[in-house]
Amino acid sequence: MQSHEEEDVGLEAIQGALQPMWDAMLRHRDVLAAPLTPGLSALFIHLVLCAPFLLLDMLACVYPRLHSYQISESTSVMRVLRRWSTTLVRILVNYATVIVPFTAVLQSLMTPRFPLLAPTCLQLCIHVVLCVLLFDLLFFAWHWALHRFRWLFVHVHQLHHRHHRVPIALAAQDASGAELLSLLLLALGSARLLGLHPLSEVAFHLLNSWLAVEDHCGYRLPWGLQRLLPWLGAGAPHHQLHHSLQKGNYAPYFTLWDRLLGTEL
Ligand SMILES: [Zn+2]
Ligand SMILES: [Zn+2]
């Protein structure tokens, strides 16, 4: 049997598991606080998360076995490459002209926060879950307004709906500059409202980027949100239906708000 002292040491080790990582990040605080870091790292993370789906889209043209996971109909490798490259160019232009400059100004205006202590694993998990839930609610309300008011739809949201029927993973960031900015502010605002530790905030942005890519990937992944959380998770099929019908299913990750407010498809 473990003694109380051994249990305490084990508990401290779990609670402090994130400290070495946070200490390493603190040693590079000048890089973390640099104006270009938020915009460029968001773009880099998005492209890294999307890359496997480019490969999957091309493989799906050749291997029919992958069709059982695919929401979209199969197409040719050339059409896949053309769609991905045109989407990528639009995203790079948006980042170069809107997102990177805006986040650089925002980063310069904000006082960097570098507390000495890292959050515990439990604190980080609670922070991230709460922040995803809050972001999901704010996104739902904003997305509903984008469809409800014609002017907002035409001038802010319509570009994202050029991916009608079935989107591709890259489409998660293929929208007007105004829409990308608004979603960025919702994500930053959710983290600030909840007072997240900077490390928890990084974890939230990573998870948020992945969930947005998963929503648009065009596959029913075995680990998709709709499979992991059958009663609550929305995932790719839920968001694909929104792109097809251009209405309903306004929440990005969970079905709760659409179900409660009668907008679920
Ligand atoms: Zn979408
Ligand atoms: Zn929409």
Side-chain angles (χ1 to χ4, degrees), residues 179-234:
E179 179 165 1
L180 286 181
L181 265 187
S182 65
L183 296 182
L184 182 74
L185 289 174
L186 287 188
L188 292 172
S190 303
R192 288 298 155 114
L193 268 176
L194 294 171
L196 257 57
H197 186 285
L199 189 57
S200 305
E201 194 171 338
V202 170
F204 160 68
H205 289 303
L206 284 173
L207 180 64
N208 196 28
S209 300
W210 163 251
L211 291 176
V213 167
E214 191 206 309
D215 257 5
H216 293 87
C217 71
Y219 294 88
R220 290 180 202 88
L221 299 173
W223 57 87
L225 259 189
Q226 76 283 359
R227 298 244 171 110
L228 295 178
L229 305 166
W231 296 101
L232 190 65

Short mmCIF file of all heavy atoms in Angstrom, two decimals, residues 179-234:
data_model
loop_
_atom_site.label_atom_id
_atom_site.label_comp_id
_atom_site.label_asym_id
_atom_site.label_seq_id
_atom_site.Cartn_x
_atom_site.Cartn_y
_atom_site.Cartn_z
N GLU A 179 -15.07 38.35 -41.32
CA GLU A 179 -15.54 37.18 -40.56
C GLU A 179 -14.39 36.54 -39.79
O GLU A 179 -14.54 36.18 -38.61
CB GLU A 179 -16.17 36.14 -41.49
CG GLU A 179 -16.63 34.92 -40.69
CD GLU A 179 -17.57 34.00 -41.42
OE1 GLU A 179 -17.90 34.25 -42.59
OE2 GLU A 179 -17.98 33.00 -40.79
N LEU A 180 -13.23 36.42 -40.42
CA LEU A 180 -12.07 35.84 -39.71
C LEU A 180 -11.73 36.66 -38.48
O LEU A 180 -11.45 36.12 -37.41
CB LEU A 180 -10.86 35.75 -40.64
CG LEU A 180 -10.89 34.67 -41.71
CD1 LEU A 180 -9.60 34.70 -42.52
CD2 LEU A 180 -11.09 33.29 -41.09
N LEU A 181 -11.78 38.00 -38.66
CA LEU A 181 -11.49 38.88 -37.52
C LEU A 181 -12.51 38.69 -36.40
O LEU A 181 -12.15 38.63 -35.23
CB LEU A 181 -11.53 40.33 -37.97
CG LEU A 181 -10.23 40.98 -38.37
CD1 LEU A 181 -10.44 42.46 -38.62
CD2 LEU A 181 -9.18 40.78 -37.28
N SER A 182 -13.80 38.61 -36.79
CA SER A 182 -14.84 38.48 -35.77
C SER A 182 -14.67 37.16 -35.00
O SER A 182 -14.84 37.12 -33.78
CB SER A 182 -16.24 38.57 -36.39
OG SER A 182 -16.47 37.47 -37.25
N LEU A 183 -14.32 36.08 -35.71
CA LEU A 183 -14.15 34.80 -35.02
C LEU A 183 -12.92 34.81 -34.10
O LEU A 183 -12.93 34.22 -33.02
CB LEU A 183 -14.04 33.65 -36.04
CG LEU A 183 -15.30 33.46 -36.88
CD1 LEU A 183 -15.14 32.29 -37.83
CD2 LEU A 183 -16.53 33.25 -36.01
N LEU A 184 -11.90 35.52 -34.57
CA LEU A 184 -10.69 35.65 -33.74
C LEU A 184 -11.03 36.40 -32.46
O LEU A 184 -10.61 36.02 -31.35
CB LEU A 184 -9.64 36.42 -34.54
CG LEU A 184 -8.30 36.63 -33.88
CD1 LEU A 184 -7.53 35.31 -33.88
CD2 LEU A 184 -7.49 37.69 -34.60
N LEU A 185 -11.82 37.48 -32.59
CA LEU A 185 -12.20 38.25 -31.41
C LEU A 185 -13.06 37.43 -30.46
O LEU A 185 -12.95 37.55 -29.24
CB LEU A 185 -12.92 39.54 -31.82
CG LEU A 185 -12.01 40.59 -32.48
CD1 LEU A 185 -12.82 41.76 -33.00
CD2 LEU A 185 -10.94 41.08 -31.50
N LEU A 186 -13.95 36.58 -31.04
CA LEU A 186 -14.77 35.71 -30.18
C LEU A 186 -13.90 34.75 -29.39
O LEU A 186 -14.12 34.50 -28.20
CB LEU A 186 -15.77 34.91 -31.02
CG LEU A 186 -16.96 35.63 -31.62
CD1 LEU A 186 -17.93 34.63 -32.25
CD2 LEU A 186 -17.70 36.45 -30.57
N ALA A 187 -12.88 34.19 -30.07
CA ALA A 187 -11.99 33.23 -29.39
C ALA A 187 -11.16 33.94 -28.31
O ALA A 187 -11.07 33.46 -27.17
CB ALA A 187 -11.08 32.55 -30.41
N LEU A 188 -10.57 35.09 -28.68
CA LEU A 188 -9.77 35.84 -27.69
C LEU A 188 -10.64 36.31 -26.54
O LEU A 188 -10.26 36.24 -25.37
CB LEU A 188 -9.10 37.04 -28.36
CG LEU A 188 -8.00 36.73 -29.38
CD1 LEU A 188 -7.56 38.01 -30.08
CD2 LEU A 188 -6.82 36.07 -28.70
N GLY A 189 -11.85 36.80 -26.89
CA GLY A 189 -12.78 37.31 -25.87
C GLY A 189 -13.21 36.21 -24.91
O GLY A 189 -13.29 36.43 -23.69
N SER A 190 -13.46 35.00 -25.43
CA SER A 190 -13.87 33.88 -24.55
C SER A 190 -12.77 33.60 -23.54
O SER A 190 -13.03 33.41 -22.34
CB SER A 190 -14.12 32.60 -25.38
OG SER A 190 -15.08 32.84 -26.36
N ALA A 191 -11.51 33.55 -24.02
CA ALA A 191 -10.39 33.25 -23.13
C ALA A 191 -10.21 34.35 -22.08
O ALA A 191 -9.97 34.06 -20.90
CB ALA A 191 -9.11 33.08 -23.95
N ARG A 192 -10.35 35.61 -22.50
CA ARG A 192 -10.16 36.72 -21.56
C ARG A 192 -11.29 36.80 -20.55
O ARG A 192 -11.09 37.09 -19.37
CB ARG A 192 -10.02 38.05 -22.32
CG ARG A 192 -8.70 38.18 -23.06
CD ARG A 192 -7.55 38.15 -22.06
NE ARG A 192 -6.32 37.69 -22.67
CZ ARG A 192 -5.24 38.44 -22.83
NH1 ARG A 192 -5.23 39.68 -22.44
NH2 ARG A 192 -4.15 37.93 -23.38
N LEU A 193 -12.54 36.57 -21.03
CA LEU A 193 -13.69 36.61 -20.12
C LEU A 193 -13.54 35.61 -18.98
O LEU A 193 -13.91 35.88 -17.84
CB LEU A 193 -14.98 36.27 -20.89
CG LEU A 193 -15.77 37.44 -21.48
CD1 LEU A 193 -16.94 36.91 -22.29
CD2 LEU A 193 -16.28 38.36 -20.37
N LEU A 194 -12.98 34.44 -19.31
CA LEU A 194 -12.82 33.40 -18.29
C LEU A 194 -11.51 33.53 -17.52
O LEU A 194 -11.25 32.74 -16.62
CB LEU A 194 -12.91 32.01 -18.95
CG LEU A 194 -14.29 31.67 -19.54
CD1 LEU A 194 -14.22 30.40 -20.36
CD2 LEU A 194 -15.32 31.53 -18.43
N GLY A 195 -10.68 34.51 -17.91
CA GLY A 195 -9.41 34.74 -17.21
C GLY A 195 -8.46 33.55 -17.30
O GLY A 195 -7.83 33.16 -16.31
N LEU A 196 -8.35 32.95 -18.49
CA LEU A 196 -7.51 31.76 -18.66
C LEU A 196 -6.04 32.06 -18.44
O LEU A 196 -5.55 33.14 -18.83
CB LEU A 196 -7.69 31.22 -20.09
CG LEU A 196 -8.57 29.99 -20.26
CD1 LEU A 196 -9.96 30.25 -19.71
CD2 LEU A 196 -8.63 29.54 -21.70
N HIS A 197 -5.34 31.11 -17.86
CA HIS A 197 -3.87 31.16 -17.80
C HIS A 197 -3.36 31.13 -19.24
O HIS A 197 -3.95 30.45 -20.10
CB HIS A 197 -3.38 29.93 -17.02
CG HIS A 197 -1.90 29.95 -16.77
ND1 HIS A 197 -0.98 29.67 -17.76
CD2 HIS A 197 -1.19 30.19 -15.64
CE1 HIS A 197 0.24 29.74 -17.25
NE2 HIS A 197 0.14 30.07 -15.97
N PRO A 198 -2.25 31.85 -19.56
CA PRO A 198 -1.77 31.86 -20.95
C PRO A 198 -1.53 30.46 -21.54
O PRO A 198 -1.79 30.24 -22.72
CB PRO A 198 -0.45 32.63 -20.87
CG PRO A 198 -0.58 33.49 -19.65
CD PRO A 198 -1.46 32.75 -18.70
N LEU A 199 -1.09 29.51 -20.69
CA LEU A 199 -0.87 28.15 -21.21
C LEU A 199 -2.21 27.48 -21.55
O LEU A 199 -2.33 26.79 -22.57
CB LEU A 199 -0.10 27.31 -20.17
CG LEU A 199 0.38 25.95 -20.65
CD1 LEU A 199 1.27 26.05 -21.88
CD2 LEU A 199 1.13 25.22 -19.53
N SER A 200 -3.22 27.72 -20.71
CA SER A 200 -4.56 27.19 -21.00
C SER A 200 -5.09 27.83 -22.27
O SER A 200 -5.78 27.19 -23.07
CB SER A 200 -5.53 27.49 -19.86
OG SER A 200 -5.03 27.02 -18.64
N GLU A 201 -4.76 29.12 -22.47
CA GLU A 201 -5.25 29.83 -23.66
C GLU A 201 -4.63 29.22 -24.93
O GLU A 201 -5.31 29.05 -25.94
CB GLU A 201 -4.91 31.33 -23.54
CG GLU A 201 -5.66 32.15 -24.55
CD GLU A 201 -5.53 33.65 -24.32
OE1 GLU A 201 -5.21 34.07 -23.20
OE2 GLU A 201 -5.74 34.39 -25.31
N VAL A 202 -3.34 28.90 -24.85
CA VAL A 202 -2.69 28.25 -26.00
C VAL A 202 -3.38 26.91 -26.30
O VAL A 202 -3.70 26.60 -27.46
CB VAL A 202 -1.18 28.02 -25.72
CG1 VAL A 202 -0.55 27.13 -26.78
CG2 VAL A 202 -0.44 29.35 -25.64
N ALA A 203 -3.65 26.13 -25.22
CA ALA A 203 -4.30 24.82 -25.41
C ALA A 203 -5.69 25.01 -26.01
O ALA A 203 -6.11 24.24 -26.89
CB ALA A 203 -4.40 24.09 -24.07
N PHE A 204 -6.42 26.04 -25.56
CA PHE A 204 -7.75 26.31 -26.13
C PHE A 204 -7.66 26.64 -27.61
O PHE A 204 -8.42 26.11 -28.42
CB PHE A 204 -8.43 27.46 -25.37
CG PHE A 204 -9.55 28.10 -26.15
CD1 PHE A 204 -10.73 27.41 -26.40
CD2 PHE A 204 -9.41 29.39 -26.67
CE1 PHE A 204 -11.76 27.98 -27.15
CE2 PHE A 204 -10.43 29.96 -27.42
CZ PHE A 204 -11.61 29.26 -27.66
N HIS A 205 -6.70 27.51 -28.00
CA HIS A 205 -6.60 27.89 -29.41
C HIS A 205 -6.22 26.68 -30.28
O HIS A 205 -6.70 26.56 -31.40
CB HIS A 205 -5.58 29.02 -29.59
CG HIS A 205 -6.07 30.34 -29.07
ND1 HIS A 205 -7.25 30.93 -29.51
CD2 HIS A 205 -5.57 31.17 -28.12
CE1 HIS A 205 -7.44 32.07 -28.86
NE2 HIS A 205 -6.43 32.24 -28.01
N LEU A 206 -5.36 25.79 -29.73
CA LEU A 206 -5.00 24.58 -30.49
C LEU A 206 -6.23 23.70 -30.70
O LEU A 206 -6.49 23.24 -31.82
CB LEU A 206 -3.92 23.79 -29.74
CG LEU A 206 -2.50 24.36 -29.80
CD1 LEU A 206 -1.58 23.57 -28.88
CD2 LEU A 206 -1.96 24.29 -31.23
N LEU A 207 -6.98 23.47 -29.61
CA LEU A 207 -8.17 22.62 -29.71
C LEU A 207 -9.20 23.27 -30.63
O LEU A 207 -9.83 22.60 -31.46
CB LEU A 207 -8.76 22.37 -28.31
CG LEU A 207 -10.00 21.49 -28.28
CD1 LEU A 207 -9.69 20.08 -28.76
CD2 LEU A 207 -10.59 21.41 -26.86
N ASN A 208 -9.38 24.57 -30.49
CA ASN A 208 -10.35 25.30 -31.30
C ASN A 208 -10.00 25.19 -32.80
O ASN A 208 -10.88 24.98 -33.63
CB ASN A 208 -10.36 26.77 -30.86
CG ASN A 208 -11.57 27.51 -31.35
OD1 ASN A 208 -12.63 26.91 -31.56
ND2 ASN A 208 -11.44 28.80 -31.56
N SER A 209 -8.70 25.30 -33.11
CA SER A 209 -8.27 25.19 -34.51
C SER A 209 -8.57 23.79 -35.03
O SER A 209 -9.06 23.62 -36.15
CB SER A 209 -6.76 25.44 -34.64
OG SER A 209 -6.45 26.71 -34.19
N TRP A 210 -8.28 22.77 -34.20
CA TRP A 210 -8.54 21.40 -34.64
C TRP A 210 -10.05 21.17 -34.87
O TRP A 210 -10.46 20.59 -35.87
CB TRP A 210 -8.01 20.38 -33.61
CG TRP A 210 -8.63 19.03 -33.86
CD1 TRP A 210 -9.56 18.40 -33.10
CD2 TRP A 210 -8.42 18.19 -35.01
NE1 TRP A 210 -9.94 17.21 -33.69
CE2 TRP A 210 -9.25 17.07 -34.86
CE3 TRP A 210 -7.63 18.30 -36.15
CZ2 TRP A 210 -9.31 16.05 -35.80
CZ3 TRP A 210 -7.68 17.27 -37.10
CH2 TRP A 210 -8.51 16.16 -36.92
N LEU A 211 -10.88 21.62 -33.92
CA LEU A 211 -12.32 21.38 -34.03
C LEU A 211 -12.90 22.08 -35.28
O LEU A 211 -13.79 21.54 -35.94
CB LEU A 211 -13.05 21.87 -32.77
CG LEU A 211 -12.77 21.06 -31.50
CD1 LEU A 211 -13.45 21.70 -30.29
CD2 LEU A 211 -13.23 19.62 -31.66
N ALA A 212 -12.36 23.27 -35.60
CA ALA A 212 -12.84 23.98 -36.80
C ALA A 212 -12.44 23.21 -38.06
O ALA A 212 -13.23 23.09 -39.00
CB ALA A 212 -12.26 25.40 -36.82
N VAL A 213 -11.22 22.67 -38.07
CA VAL A 213 -10.77 21.87 -39.22
C VAL A 213 -11.62 20.61 -39.33
O VAL A 213 -12.08 20.25 -40.42
CB VAL A 213 -9.27 21.52 -39.07
CG1 VAL A 213 -8.85 20.44 -40.06
CG2 VAL A 213 -8.41 22.76 -39.28
N GLU A 214 -11.86 19.97 -38.19
CA GLU A 214 -12.67 18.74 -38.21
C GLU A 214 -14.08 19.01 -38.74
O GLU A 214 -14.62 18.22 -39.51
CB GLU A 214 -12.74 18.16 -36.79
CG GLU A 214 -13.33 16.76 -36.74
CD GLU A 214 -13.99 16.45 -35.42
OE1 GLU A 214 -13.35 16.63 -34.38
OE2 GLU A 214 -15.15 16.00 -35.44
N ASP A 215 -14.66 20.14 -38.35
CA ASP A 215 -15.99 20.53 -38.82
C ASP A 215 -16.07 20.58 -40.35
O ASP A 215 -17.10 20.31 -40.95
CB ASP A 215 -16.32 21.94 -38.31
CG ASP A 215 -17.28 21.91 -37.14
OD1 ASP A 215 -17.61 20.81 -36.68
OD2 ASP A 215 -17.69 23.00 -36.69
N HIS A 216 -14.95 20.99 -40.98
CA HIS A 216 -14.96 21.22 -42.43
C HIS A 216 -14.27 20.13 -43.23
O HIS A 216 -14.19 20.23 -44.45
CB HIS A 216 -14.28 22.57 -42.74
CG HIS A 216 -15.05 23.74 -42.22
ND1 HIS A 216 -14.91 24.21 -40.94
CD2 HIS A 216 -15.99 24.53 -42.80
CE1 HIS A 216 -15.72 25.23 -40.75
NE2 HIS A 216 -16.39 25.45 -41.85
N CYS A 217 -13.76 19.08 -42.55
CA CYS A 217 -12.86 18.14 -43.24
C CYS A 217 -13.54 17.28 -44.29
O CYS A 217 -12.89 16.77 -45.19
CB CYS A 217 -12.13 17.27 -42.22
SG CYS A 217 -13.19 16.05 -41.42
N GLY A 218 -14.86 17.08 -44.16
CA GLY A 218 -15.56 16.26 -45.16
C GLY A 218 -15.53 14.78 -44.87
O GLY A 218 -15.88 13.97 -45.73
N TYR A 219 -15.14 14.40 -43.64
CA TYR A 219 -15.08 12.97 -43.26
C TYR A 219 -15.78 12.72 -41.94
O TYR A 219 -15.72 13.57 -41.04
CB TYR A 219 -13.62 12.50 -43.12
CG TYR A 219 -12.87 12.52 -44.42
CD1 TYR A 219 -12.21 13.68 -44.83
CD2 TYR A 219 -12.84 11.41 -45.25
CE1 TYR A 219 -11.55 13.73 -46.03
CE2 TYR A 219 -12.17 11.45 -46.46
CZ TYR A 219 -11.53 12.61 -46.85
OH TYR A 219 -10.88 12.65 -48.05
N ARG A 220 -16.42 11.57 -41.84
CA ARG A 220 -16.94 11.13 -40.54
C ARG A 220 -15.81 10.39 -39.85
O ARG A 220 -15.65 9.18 -40.02
CB ARG A 220 -18.12 10.16 -40.73
CG ARG A 220 -19.36 10.81 -41.26
CD ARG A 220 -20.48 9.78 -41.41
NE ARG A 220 -21.46 10.26 -42.37
CZ ARG A 220 -21.36 10.06 -43.67
NH1 ARG A 220 -20.37 9.38 -44.19
NH2 ARG A 220 -22.27 10.56 -44.49
N LEU A 221 -15.00 11.14 -39.11
CA LEU A 221 -13.83 10.53 -38.48
C LEU A 221 -14.26 9.63 -37.32
O LEU A 221 -15.20 9.97 -36.60
CB LEU A 221 -12.89 11.63 -37.95
CG LEU A 221 -12.32 12.58 -39.00
CD1 LEU A 221 -11.55 13.71 -38.33
CD2 LEU A 221 -11.41 11.83 -39.98
N PRO A 222 -13.56 8.50 -37.14
CA PRO A 222 -13.92 7.60 -36.01
C PRO A 222 -13.81 8.32 -34.66
O PRO A 222 -14.44 7.93 -33.71
CB PRO A 222 -12.89 6.47 -36.11
CG PRO A 222 -12.36 6.54 -37.51
CD PRO A 222 -12.46 7.97 -37.95
N TRP A 223 -12.96 9.36 -34.59
CA TRP A 223 -12.80 10.11 -33.33
C TRP A 223 -13.49 11.49 -33.43
O TRP A 223 -13.18 12.40 -32.69
CB TRP A 223 -11.32 10.27 -32.98
CG TRP A 223 -10.53 10.95 -34.07
CD1 TRP A 223 -10.36 12.29 -34.24
CD2 TRP A 223 -9.83 10.32 -35.15
NE1 TRP A 223 -9.62 12.54 -35.36
CE2 TRP A 223 -9.26 11.34 -35.94
CE3 TRP A 223 -9.63 8.98 -35.53
CZ2 TRP A 223 -8.51 11.07 -37.09
CZ3 TRP A 223 -8.89 8.73 -36.67
CH2 TRP A 223 -8.33 9.75 -37.42
N GLY A 224 -14.42 11.61 -34.38
CA GLY A 224 -15.14 12.88 -34.55
C GLY A 224 -15.99 13.19 -33.32
O GLY A 224 -16.39 12.28 -32.59
N LEU A 225 -16.28 14.47 -33.13
CA LEU A 225 -17.05 14.90 -31.94
C LEU A 225 -18.39 14.18 -31.84
O LEU A 225 -18.84 13.85 -30.75
CB LEU A 225 -17.31 16.41 -32.02
CG LEU A 225 -16.43 17.34 -31.20
CD1 LEU A 225 -17.00 18.74 -31.24
CD2 LEU A 225 -16.29 16.87 -29.76
N GLN A 226 -19.03 13.94 -33.00
CA GLN A 226 -20.36 13.30 -32.99
C GLN A 226 -20.27 11.86 -32.50
O GLN A 226 -21.25 11.28 -32.04
CB GLN A 226 -21.03 13.39 -34.36
CG GLN A 226 -20.51 12.46 -35.44
CD GLN A 226 -19.17 12.92 -36.03
OE1 GLN A 226 -18.63 13.94 -35.66
NE2 GLN A 226 -18.67 12.14 -36.97
N ARG A 227 -19.06 11.24 -32.62
CA ARG A 227 -18.88 9.87 -32.10
C ARG A 227 -18.43 9.89 -30.65
O ARG A 227 -18.84 9.06 -29.85
CB ARG A 227 -17.82 9.13 -32.93
CG ARG A 227 -18.19 8.97 -34.38
CD ARG A 227 -18.35 7.49 -34.71
NE ARG A 227 -18.91 7.33 -36.04
CZ ARG A 227 -18.22 6.86 -37.08
NH1 ARG A 227 -16.97 6.53 -36.93
NH2 ARG A 227 -18.80 6.74 -38.25
N LEU A 228 -17.55 10.85 -30.31
CA LEU A 228 -17.04 10.91 -28.93
C LEU A 228 -18.12 11.33 -27.95
O LEU A 228 -18.18 10.85 -26.82
CB LEU A 228 -15.87 11.92 -28.85
CG LEU A 228 -14.60 11.56 -29.62
CD1 LEU A 228 -13.58 12.69 -29.47
CD2 LEU A 228 -14.00 10.25 -29.14
N LEU A 229 -18.99 12.25 -28.40
CA LEU A 229 -20.06 12.76 -27.53
C LEU A 229 -21.38 12.62 -28.30
O LEU A 229 -21.91 13.62 -28.82
CB LEU A 229 -19.83 14.23 -27.18
CG LEU A 229 -18.50 14.61 -26.54
CD1 LEU A 229 -18.28 16.11 -26.56
CD2 LEU A 229 -18.47 14.11 -25.10
N PRO A 230 -21.95 11.40 -28.36
CA PRO A 230 -23.11 11.17 -29.22
C PRO A 230 -24.31 12.08 -28.92
O PRO A 230 -25.09 12.39 -29.81
CB PRO A 230 -23.47 9.71 -28.96
CG PRO A 230 -22.30 9.11 -28.29
CD PRO A 230 -21.53 10.21 -27.64
N TRP A 231 -24.47 12.52 -27.67
CA TRP A 231 -25.63 13.33 -27.30
C TRP A 231 -25.39 14.82 -27.44
O TRP A 231 -26.30 15.63 -27.36
CB TRP A 231 -26.08 13.03 -25.86
CG TRP A 231 -26.53 11.62 -25.72
CD1 TRP A 231 -25.82 10.58 -25.20
CD2 TRP A 231 -27.76 11.08 -26.18
NE1 TRP A 231 -26.54 9.42 -25.30
CE2 TRP A 231 -27.75 9.70 -25.89
CE3 TRP A 231 -28.89 11.63 -26.81
CZ2 TRP A 231 -28.80 8.85 -26.21
CZ3 TRP A 231 -29.94 10.79 -27.12
CH2 TRP A 231 -29.89 9.43 -26.83
N LEU A 232 -24.13 15.20 -27.61
CA LEU A 232 -23.81 16.63 -27.56
C LEU A 232 -22.94 17.08 -28.73
O LEU A 232 -23.02 18.23 -29.18
CB LEU A 232 -23.09 16.92 -26.23
CG LEU A 232 -22.86 18.36 -25.85
CD1 LEU A 232 -24.20 19.06 -25.62
CD2 LEU A 232 -22.02 18.45 -24.57
N GLY A 233 -22.13 16.19 -29.26
CA GLY A 233 -21.15 16.57 -30.28
C GLY A 233 -21.80 16.80 -31.64
O GLY A 233 -22.69 16.05 -32.05
N ALA A 234 -21.36 17.84 -32.33
CA ALA A 234 -21.90 18.15 -33.67
C ALA A 234 -20.99 17.52 -34.73
O ALA A 234 -21.35 16.55 -35.39
CB ALA A 234 -22.00 19.66 -33.84
#
